[in-house]
Amino acid sequence: MFQMRGKGALMNNRGYMTIEASVIIPIVLFGIFATILGLMLAYERGHIKASENERLYTVPLEYIRNENVEEYLNAADYEKGIVCGSAAVSCGYSGHKATAEGILRVIDENEVNSGREIGVCTDRLRRWQLYDDTFAE
């Protein structure tokens, strides 16, 4: 397959590996770095979104009755599981609508928002349907 015909044959292909190593390898390494950074950003956004939704959907009934939902939502530590970067989450409650608006800072600022209507008729109907099913048994 490969035959060497003296020392002159090695001299003709001498720069091939140098060009490959200096051009292609940095492109591959940059692609790997960008992929890892993108996955970290997706993880951080998912973690903030999950924390917001967990807090929005686990509001105790006593906070809803006393109209202290905003106090309950702001008491959470949303930065607890963040690996890199920082987050700032502000929560609000007005007119049976609870919202959590977060800003995640990893490279630049990314918005992560969640919202839920609390104490409206659809929640009550679902509860009554569930109780009706268990009452029949």
Side-chain angles (χ1 to χ4, degrees), residues 115-128:
R116 176 185 179 222
E117 292 182 357
I118 297 176
V120 293
C121 185
T122 55
D123 283 345
R124 292 184 196 124
L125 285 175
R126 286 189 198 121
R127 253 185 255 129
W128 291 340

Side-chain angles (χ1 to χ4, degrees), residues 29-51:
L29 291 177
F30 179 75
I32 292 171
F33 174 74
T35 303
I36 291 172
L37 192 61
L39 289 173
M40 287 174 51
L41 179 64
Y43 169 77
E44 300 293 348
R45 285 181 54 89
H47 179 73
I48 295 292
K49 184 81 166 175
S51 298

Side-chain angles (χ1 to χ4, degrees), residues 16-80:
Y16 174 73
M17 291 302 288
T18 306
I19 292 173
E20 181 179 326
S22 65
V23 174
I24 295 175
I25 299 300
I27 292 172
V28 169
L29 291 177
F30 179 75
I32 292 171
F33 174 74
T35 303
I36 291 172
L37 192 61
L39 289 173
M40 287 174 51
L41 179 64
Y43 169 77
E44 300 293 348
R45 285 181 54 89
H47 179 73
I48 295 292
K49 184 81 166 175
S51 298
E52 288 175 353
N53 284 332
E54 177 185 3
R55 200 70 174 173
L56 285 170
Y57 283 92
T58 59
V59 178
L61 191 57
E62 64 189 50
Y63 285 96
I64 296 171
R65 287 183 181 156
N66 297 333
E67 297 287 330
N68 293 333
V69 175
E70 187 172 354
E71 174 186 323
Y72 174 77
L73 294 174
N74 284 324
D77 182 19
Y78 295 100
E79 288 193 53
K80 186 170 57 175

Side-chain angles (χ1 to χ4, degrees), residues 2 8-18:
F2 183 72
L10 289 176
M11 299 298 278
N12 293 337
N13 295 328
R14 194 169 212 175
Y16 174 73
M17 291 302 288
T18 306

